[in-house]
Amino acid sequence: MYRKWYFLGACLLIVNYVNAQSDQNKYQNGMVVCAYPDAANVGVEILKKGGNAVDAAVAVQFALAVVHPQAGNLGGGGFMVFRSAKGEANTLDFREKAPALATTNMYLDTAGDVIPDMSLATHQASGVPGSVDGMVEAHKKYGKLKWPQLVQPAINLAKNGFKMTARLAADINRVHDTFIKMNPGKGYLVKAEPWKEGDVLIQTDLAKTLQLIRDNGRAGFYAGKTADAIVAEMKTGNGLISKTDLANYHAVWRKAIKSTYKQYAIFTMPPPSSGGIALVQLLKSVEPYPLHRFGHNTDSTVSVMVEAERRVYADRSKYLGDPDFYEVPVDSLLRPAYIKARMNSFSWDAATPSSSIQPGSFAGYESDQTTHYSIVDKEGNAVAITTTLNGTFGSKIFVGGAGFLLNNEMDDFSSKPGVPNMYGLLGGKANAIQPNKRMLSCMTPTIITKDGKLFMVVGTPGGSTIMTSVYQTILNVIEFNMSMQDAVTAKRFHSQWMPDKVDIERGALDAATINKLDQKGYKIVAGGNIGRVDAILKTKDGYQGGADPRGDDTAIGW
Ligand code: DON
């Protein structure tokens, strides 16, 4: 008798499981995956009103500036990779730029040492913001709906308020004292009692700034009242951003990096992000190895992947920077024979010490809280955008009267050769500070196709761990046959040449695997979350979302 009920119960469980799986696949008309539920809703509503993926992206960018102030922004920058349903690929660089008054040694004291935190937590830490111009340009080229319609949902969220998640409340509470210290008298995001889940957050000044952007487009931010407020804010703390810097800021369309991994085509971000080049180098380095046979997060897989990582990050430290200022040897870095040769020193017996690896050389060469969202529309146009203030809440300095946070992206430059930035990344001449130059990034918004058809849209925050998280997510699907959600949820590891260690999320590797790797000389360090990937997979039945459970991330399809 009981046995019969057990059997029936088991059958029901299986049916439910199958339904849940097919639920994930059933969306035919598009999908938005991003860091906060209210912003995902905004994006899907735009799609339902007939907007395309770029329209939805613009609306999500502005909504995230309201509901995800840790990283969503008006005062930061980012990168977009776009691929139309017809196959046109393009990228938009709306990365911040160094102000015209910036100098190479601006963060060094008279002894030539880096002044702690100056590139992170001062008015001088901010680059000239690029996000608003980026959205204007993206909309101008590809948008379908009217601009005001795309900014309005963010205005509504700022003006009428929205309910805070427990995580958002905790994140703001954590920086309460810093907000007060850095923003005397402004009162933004602070109140006497700690915030808690379900509190309604209203941001009146931010709503007014968004209204100016709605009504005046670019001029609503880079001129008039908002520009006045930014420059006045700079004056209170020796900041460098001027009216001219703002007037001169322009996002740039750049040719996508295109490459392949097996039968898949990869479209990703060129410099001034190092992300695309690094991702392609990583994938190409491991392509010859049977990862599928080795298995997910086994010692063999981890050692091959880590060895690729240390070589790729060594290259990054020397060769990558703003292509408008420094000739980045893109073709040489991506040449298959070069990438293959870099792996020649890999041995199954022992880890290659990072100290023995130098950036590669090739003939003819003269000698980093962020947020990602992935969107697909009804036609199959796809957008991958990663955008950031750099650190969580950026410099933690609000523009007085305008209600938005400024970035601390200047820390992504190399303040001094050999001195790591906040993500431990090293750099030299290629990424030295120069007036009007863009600081090097790790952001890796990426679109993948198979047989000419959309396959995956993917990206993540995480500073230096961005490219290794994207790399693992892609391989989790292609090599280890995971669903999009499982690929995003799976525990991650990360290595970046220097320091010479392998960070793993607690539980990413079992004890036996750690032991084997340890014996080969890999220094495994277990710690907290790595990355926060938001991705979409196209299957034969529809769109599958992967929203990272490490955050409030949400996938909504229709
Ligand atoms: O552009 C970069 O590489 C860094 N500013 C990104 C910072 C970041 O991802 C922080 N996220 N957790």
Side-chain angles (χ1 to χ4, degrees):
M1 178 69 186
Y2 284 126
R3 262 174 84 202
K4 193 165 131 200
W5 285 115
Y6 276 131
F7 177 73
L8 270 174
C11 286
L12 273 174
L13 274 176
I14 290 166
V15 169
N16 273 338
Y17 176 75
V18 170
N19 277 341
Q21 293 295 304
S22 50
D23 266 4
Q24 277 200 352
N25 285 322
K26 75 178 181 197
Y27 304 106
Q28 306 293 336
N29 294 321
M31 182 171 266
V32 177
V33 192
C34 74
Y36 204 87
D38 299 68
N41 261 323
V42 163
V44 170
E45 285 308 311
I46 293 290
L47 293 180
K48 288 185 177 166
K49 283 182 186 143
N52 63 22
V54 172
D55 291 320
V58 171
V60 168
Q61 174 78 28
F62 288 120
L64 284 169
V66 178
V67 298
H68 187 54
Q70 301 97 315
N73 66 84
L74 302 180
F79 297 103
M80 169 173 100
V81 174
F82 168 78
R83 183 181 176 275
S84 74
K86 295 200 177 104
E88 176 200 351
N90 205 349
T91 81
L92 181 62
D93 158 6
F94 54 100
R95 181 70 160 168
E96 300 91 323
K97 288 172 73 168
L101 288 175
T103 56
T104 304
N105 296 332
M106 62 187 279
Y107 300 123
L108 304 187
D109 62 18
T110 47
D113 295 326
V114 174
I115 302 167
D117 282 348
M118 191 172 167
S119 62
L120 283 170
T122 66
H123 285 77
Q124 293 190 34
S126 301
V128 184
S131 291
V132 176
D133 194 57
M135 293 305 109
V136 169
E137 284 303 314
H139 177 256
K140 220 193 286 171
K141 197 167 177 79
Y142 294 113
K144 230 164 94 184
L145 299 185
K146 295 242 177 327
W147 174 258
Q149 213 179 331
L150 308 179
V151 191
Q152 191 60 43
I155 298 173
N156 299 344
L157 286 164
K159 200 165 147 188
N160 308 330
F162 67 96
K163 281 201 176 137
M164 295 168 102
T165 59
R167 183 175 276 106
L168 174 58
D171 281 359
I172 298 181
N173 292 337
R174 212 169 291 125
V175 294
H176 174 267
D177 295 350
T178 316
F179 275 165
I180 291 187
K181 191 176 114 207
M182 306 283 273
N183 299 281
K186 289 183 210 154
Y188 297 127
L189 299 192
V190 290
K191 67 179 179 70
E193 295 299 313
W195 296 99
K196 55 184 190 321
E197 182 178 3
D199 281 352
V200 173
L201 179 61
I202 294 176
Q203 300 171 84
T204 314
D205 284 356
L206 180 57
K208 286 187 198 148
T209 302
L210 285 162
Q211 277 163 1
L212 290 170
I213 294 168
R214 174 195 64 195
D215 299 340
N216 306 295
R218 189 193 137 83
F221 187 85
Y222 294 92
K225 271 190 182 164
T226 313
D228 288 346
I230 295 173
V231 172
E233 183 59 50
M234 286 291 127
K235 297 230 162 88
T236 68
N238 300 319
L240 302 183
I241 301 174
S242 68
K243 285 270 176 70
T244 318
D245 287 328
L246 293 167
N248 288 345
Y249 183 87
H250 290 287
V252 183
W253 293 101
R254 300 190 191 271
K255 223 169 112 214
I257 299 251
K258 291 186 196 172
S259 188
T260 56
Y261 177 78
K262 299 189 172 171
Q263 72 270 47
Y264 300 87
I266 316 275
F267 301 87
T268 185
M269 198 66 215
S273 185
S274 61
I277 289 182
L279 176 68
V280 170
Q281 287 189 317
L282 290 168
L283 290 169
K284 286 269 177 219
S285 301
V286 301
E287 196 175 25
Y289 298 88
L291 298 184
H292 174 71
R293 184 160 61 73
F294 294 161
H296 179 250
N297 285 8
T298 56
D299 59 313
S300 300
T301 296
V302 174
S303 40
V304 175
M305 288 176 70
V306 163
E307 292 299 337
E309 290 172 7
R310 53 173 117 229
R311 287 157 179 81
V312 167
Y313 279 78
D315 277 359
R316 178 194 192 276
S317 72
K318 178 162 180 190
Y319 295 118
L320 275 291
D322 180 352
D324 296 342
F325 283 73
Y326 191 86
E327 210 178 311
V328 180
V330 178
D331 293 343
S332 303
L333 289 166
L334 295 181
R335 201 159 285 141
Y338 167 73
I339 299 172
K340 190 163 174 273
R342 292 284 281 158
M343 287 297 276
N344 283 348
S345 54
F346 163 59
S347 150
W348 285 113
D349 304 331
T352 317
S354 286
S355 56
S356 74
I357 290 180
Q358 298 304 318
S361 55
F362 20 73
Y365 182 78
E366 313 272 300
S367 323
D368 251 61
Q369 184 86 23
T370 300
T371 192
H372 174 85
Y373 48 101
S374 294
I375 301 180
V376 180
D377 66 22
K378 203 168 181 170
E379 271 109 53
N381 305 300
V383 169
I385 289 186
T386 315
T387 179
T388 187
L389 292 163
N390 193 26
T392 305
F393 302 108
S395 66
K396 305 193 179 59
I397 295 171
F398 288 90
V399 174
F404 63 88
L405 283 157
L406 286 165
N407 68 81
N408 57 358
E409 219 76 60
M410 292 292 284
D411 188 68
D412 276 349
F413 278 117
S414 168
S415 296
K416 185 181 174 181
V419 178
N421 76 352
M422 74 180 278
Y423 300 105
L425 292 167
L426 296 172
K429 194 164 156 226
N431 190 32
I433 308 173
Q434 283 175 262
N436 301 315
K437 185 176 174 182
R438 285 162 155 91
M439 56 295 281
L440 185 61
S441 173
C442 289
M443 293 189 271
T444 314
T446 297
I447 295 174
I448 300 178
T449 62
K450 189 182 175 195
D451 305 325
K453 296 202 186 75
L454 184 66
F455 179 70
M456 193 190 292
V457 188
V458 59
T460 184
S464 59
T465 68
I466 290 178
M467 10 335 185
T468 54
S469 298
V470 170
Y471 163 59
Q472 288 168 85
T473 308
I474 294 171
L475 293 177
N476 285 349
V477 172
I478 295 182
E479 293 293 337
F480 305 119
N481 299 327
M482 292 187 199
S483 69
M484 194 70 258
Q485 187 59 58
D486 289 349
V488 166
T489 305
K491 303 261 192 210
R492 307 189 182 111
F493 59 89
H494 167 78
S495 186
Q496 59 180 51
W497 176 52
M498 298 287 187
D500 189 345
K501 59 173 178 153
V502 182
D503 290 305
I504 65 164
E505 292 186 309
R506 254 175 234 105
L509 308 179
D510 59 33
T513 305
I514 293 178
N515 197 23
K516 280 189 212 156
L517 289 166
D518 184 62
Q519 277 170 13
K520 288 185 189 175
Y522 294 95
K523 294 176 207 98
I524 309 284
V525 181
N529 292 346
I530 296 176
R532 195 167 153 178
V533 178
D534 282 340
I536 300 173
L537 186 71
K538 177 85 177 22
T539 68
K540 63 180 186 349
D541 306 312
Y543 295 113
Q544 248 186 37
D548 205 314
R550 294 161 183 83
D552 293 321
D553 302 52
T554 309
I556 307 182
W558 72 295

